[in-house]
Amino acid sequence: MENKSKKFSFIRSLGFKSALVILVVGIIPFLVCVPISMRAYETVTIDNDASNIIVQALQYNSEIITSGYIAGEDNRNLETKLQSVAEAYQGRILVIDSSLKVISDSFQADEGKTVVWENVIRAVKGETLSYYDDDALYLIVTVPLTNSEGDIVGAIVINKGMDYMLQNEDKFISYYLIIMVALLSFVIFVAVVYSHRCIGPLRKVSEDLDSISREYTNELPERVSYTELESIEEQFNQVLSKLHSIDESRQEFVSNVSHELKTPLTSMKVLADSLNGSEDVPLEMYKEFMSDIGDEIDRETKIINDLLSLVRMDKTGAALNISAVNINELIEHILKRLSPIAEKSDIEVVFESFRPVVAEVDEVKFTLVVTNLVENAIKYNNPDGWVHITLNSDHQFCYIKVEDNGLGIPEESVEHIFERFYRADKSHSREIGGTGLGLAITKSAIAMHNGEIKVHSKLGEGTTFDVRIPLNYIKKEGE
Ligand code: ADP
């Protein structure tokens, strides 16, 4: 099936289709024009001949009447004239009286006979008629003969052989055929050249895409082609540069993860080696080193836990376990859990709620959001500092503000703090157990709830995080 569709794929190709359109558009008018112009030629020729014959008949009218020929008198001279006209027309001339009797016939076949042909009967009644017999190829004109008083006394029937018209048509057809062959060759040439040129840029783009997909490096080169194609190329380059930056950030993430996971392991190795390498280690030193190793294991565990949280956040909103959560209780619960570390540094933590707020959130992930923000406000604070948490809502959103008068963030670092593994003050952050993943997790969790987070900070004065999430969770399309 696939083979078959490949076999005939040229039929679906743009090149083939545009060539076909040019061919049809170029040839059809010609094919239509030939029979129409033939028909027009026939009509004009027949009309012309008929008018000439009528004029000729009227010329003989008075001679036929005045000479008494119509009444049966001999007129050799007139007969010879009529005979020679009939021969010139390659036809026949009949003179008929009002009783439909044939007075003279250039074929001398029907003289004395009565004619009952409709056109003759109508001519005797006064009508001038012409009739083209396309089987016998004759033009038959019937003209009434009138006397000087205007009475109809008979009719003259003139037949003209129209073979010459067919011969002319044959000539036309052979000219047309020559023109047709020339036109067809020209149209085929134009169709092939145009369609080739037309799809040329597409073919080039396809080749470029092919090499990009193999090497996954360069961008599509800029080429002047069609506006539509240029815009597709531009969009493709944008997608490609996004892919590159995703790839880069993935590589960076992997190298950061390896580095972060290696650091505690290296410390543990150094501690263990120094214990193993020295003899008669005092018990205190042994205990101290073992406690340091325990700390490094805690740190390693924290990094792994944070990484796992982050990976879970990277999944789609379908992974959310949404329920109506009392946010006041949730914050109070978190503050209770964090109070020991706040007390340790004499940090005053104040929670102010303007109203009871219930929001549709994933309790676990939202707990991570508040915990990270409050924990950071405590961690990056000065002894005797304060942390204010305010909770408010309107009919649409829940607002949480976490404010501290701590260390603050340097201006140039503010835009980076939500990046994975980013730490504004590396040495201090490590000292207080930071992994650099907390705010990345926070931001992802808020985004999953269709919310927003903003930060204002001044170095040495403090930091404020403003979080806004919808009270009602609305699933995004595709989730
Ligand atoms: P960490 O685990 O290092 O705390 P986060 O992602 O939570 O990582 O924070 C990233 C960086 O942002 C921190 O290392 C810190 O330098 C800075 N930061 C975050 N919150 C605050 C705050 N309240 N006050 C000052 N600096 C902060």
Side-chain angles (χ1 to χ4, degrees), residues 49-61 89 141 143:
D49 282 7
S51 329
N52 290 337
I53 291 170
I54 290 167
V55 170
Q56 189 121 41
L58 291 174
Q59 278 171 9
Y60 290 113
N61 182 81
Y89 282 164
V141 180
V143 182

Side-chain angles (χ1 to χ4, degrees), residues 229-465:
L229 200 60
E230 279 170 20
S231 109
I232 291 174
E233 286 170 355
E234 209 177 293
Q235 282 160 14
F236 178 81
N237 281 341
Q238 281 170 10
V239 172
L240 203 67
S241 83
K242 268 191 195 150
L243 277 178
H244 279 309
S245 73
I246 289 172
D247 198 41
E248 269 167 30
S249 83
R250 188 182 54 85
Q251 282 175 7
E252 197 187 315
F253 180 65
V254 171
S255 86
N256 282 342
V257 167
S258 331
H259 176 76
E260 294 299 326
L261 291 177
K262 236 174 103 183
T263 316
L265 288 176
T266 316
S267 307
M268 282 189 267
K269 172 98 174 108
V270 171
L271 288 166
D273 281 354
S274 56
L275 279 183
N276 286 335
S278 38
E279 283 168 22
D280 303 328
V281 184
L283 188 63
E284 290 75 43
M285 191 178 161
Y286 193 81
K287 275 189 178 167
E288 192 193 323
F289 274 36
M290 284 313 276
S291 134
D292 287 349
I293 289 176
D295 288 348
E296 292 301 335
I297 290 173
D298 286 347
R299 184 169 162 67
E300 185 90 38
T301 313
K302 187 163 176 11
I303 296 172
I304 291 171
N305 284 340
D306 278 358
L307 278 172
L308 285 175
S309 305
L310 201 63
V311 169
R312 279 188 213 115
M313 297 296 168
D314 279 350
K315 288 185 185 160
T316 59
L320 283 179
N321 185 12
I322 298 290
S323 62
V325 175
N326 184 322
I327 305 294
N328 299 63
E329 281 176 14
L330 181 133
I331 294 178
E332 274 160 19
H333 185 74
I334 292 169
L335 296 187
K336 209 166 155 197
R337 226 167 15 89
L338 292 178
S339 63
I341 60 161
E343 277 161 19
K344 217 161 117 189
S345 315
D346 281 328
I347 311 277
E348 182 197 26
V349 180
V350 180
F351 173 41
E352 188 183 5
S353 167
F354 287 89
R355 68 196 78 229
V357 179
V358 174
E360 288 177 358
V361 293
D362 179 315
E363 194 168 353
V364 176
K365 292 189 174 84
F366 202 68
T367 302
L368 277 176
V369 170
V370 181
T371 308
N372 281 335
L373 293 178
V374 178
E375 203 177 338
N376 279 351
I378 297 170
K379 281 193 309 189
Y380 302 105
N381 215 320
N382 302 306
D384 299 322
W386 52 256
V387 177
H388 287 172
I389 300 116
T390 36
L391 171 66
N392 203 352
S393 74
D394 55 21
H395 63 288
Q396 235 186 327
F397 294 103
C398 154
Y399 303 94
I400 299 171
K401 187 195 284 258
V402 180
E403 205 177 349
D404 67 62
N405 68 338
L407 306 178
I409 305 165
E411 210 182 314
E412 66 280 6
S413 300
V414 172
E415 57 176 317
H416 299 292
I417 56 168
F418 294 104
E419 292 167 12
R420 295 154 175 191
F421 295 113
Y422 185 83
R423 299 180 188 104
D425 176 355
K426 288 189 178 48
S427 57
H428 190 221
S429 173
R430 189 180 290 279
E431 199 180 287
I432 51 185
T435 60
L437 294 171
L439 286 180
I441 295 171
T442 302
K443 189 162 187 184
S444 297
I446 291 171
M448 283 171 95
H449 287 87
N450 306 320
E452 262 183 20
I453 181 163
K454 282 184 184 148
V455 57
H456 306 277
S457 188
K458 202 143 199 216
L459 197 60
E461 288 184 20
T463 307
T464 305
F465 284 95

